[in-house]
């Protein structure tokens, strides 16, 4: 059996060159828009949270950013907590909620489909994180078409 002859890794070690950025740091031109759509279930993998972070980055890059929660994506926008609303039951439990609040605080807009909210997941508008705008199910497609018409950057978040 081969012998391993190097010291074990320790806190503070670096495995990759994280400072080497290959591409330019793109900033929005005046008036540029972005739409990030979510058709994914909260806590079903990391993609929902990762793209909430991307939405925040788009805001910070200067894009007029909207977030669309539809289908199972509305589950990202409901208030949660345990044992009381707002309580973090385990580390990371409230990550999506806190990130949506940050998006709203930094000037982003967040929309949630009323049909998915009530018909699919049994929630009412009062269940949404304050600041999220509930929309008619027919507005889901129109919001996407408006973004397309405005030449917005569109990032779709889907899980299967």
């Amino acid at each position: 059996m081969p012998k391993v002859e190097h010291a074990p890794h320790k806190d503070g070690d670096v495995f990759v060159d994280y400072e080497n950025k290959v591409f330019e740091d793109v900033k929005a031109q005046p008036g540029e828009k972005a739409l990030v759509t979510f058709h994914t279930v909260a806590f079903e993998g990391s993609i929902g949270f990762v793209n909430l972070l991307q939405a925040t980055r788009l805001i910070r890059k200067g894009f007029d950013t909207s977030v669309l929660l539809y289908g199972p994506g509305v589950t990202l926008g409901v208030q949660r907590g345990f044992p009381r609303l707002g309580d973090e039951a385990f580390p990371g439990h409230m990550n999506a909620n806190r990130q949506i609040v940050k998006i709203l605080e930094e000037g982003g807009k967040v929309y949630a489909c009323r049909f998915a909210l009530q018909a699919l997941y049994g929630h009412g508008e009062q269940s949404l994180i304050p600041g999220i705008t509930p929309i008619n199910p027919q507005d889901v497609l129109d919001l996407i078409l408006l973004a397309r018409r405005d030449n917005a950057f569109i990032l779709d978040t889907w899980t299967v």
Side-chain angles (χ1 to χ4, degrees), residues 38-60:
F38 290 85
H39 193 280
T40 186
V41 180
F43 304 109
E44 291 276 322
S46 62
I47 192 64
F49 181 62
V50 167
N51 279 351
L52 286 172
L53 292 171
Q54 297 290 33
T56 306
R57 269 192 86 208
L58 286 163
I59 292 167
R60 292 175 181 170

Side-chain angles (χ1 to χ4, degrees), residues 4 8-9 24-25 32 36 38 43 48 52-55 71 79 98 100 102 109 126 138 154 160:
V4 177
H9 300 299
E24 71 175 283
D25 185 16
E32 279 193 298
V36 184
F38 290 85
F43 304 109
L52 286 172
L53 292 171
Q54 297 290 33
Q79 298 178 67
R98 282 195 293 270
I100 287 174
K102 186 175 288 189
K109 297 173 283 300
Q126 69 279 10
Q138 293 176 340
I154 301 175
V160 190

Side-chain angles (χ1 to χ4, degrees), residues 19-39:
E19 292 181 343
N20 178 30
K21 186 163 176 0
V22 177
F23 302 103
E24 71 175 283
D25 185 16
V26 176
K27 302 289 186 193
Q29 297 297 316
E32 279 193 298
K33 296 181 179 185
L35 172 65
V36 184
T37 71
F38 290 85
H39 193 280

Side-chain angles (χ1 to χ4, degrees), residues 82-127:
F82 189 84
R84 291 173 300 278
L85 285 179
D87 290 348
E88 188 169 51
F90 54 85
H93 172 228
M94 299 294 287
N95 282 352
N97 291 67
R98 282 195 293 270
Q99 202 62 37
I100 287 174
V101 168
K102 186 175 288 189
I103 288 166
L104 292 164
E105 288 173 348
E106 294 190 20
K109 297 173 283 300
V110 182
Y111 302 96
C113 174
R114 287 182 172 117
F115 175 82
L117 194 62
Q118 179 176 321
L120 302 181
Y121 296 100
H123 287 285
E125 294 176 17
Q126 69 279 10
S127 296

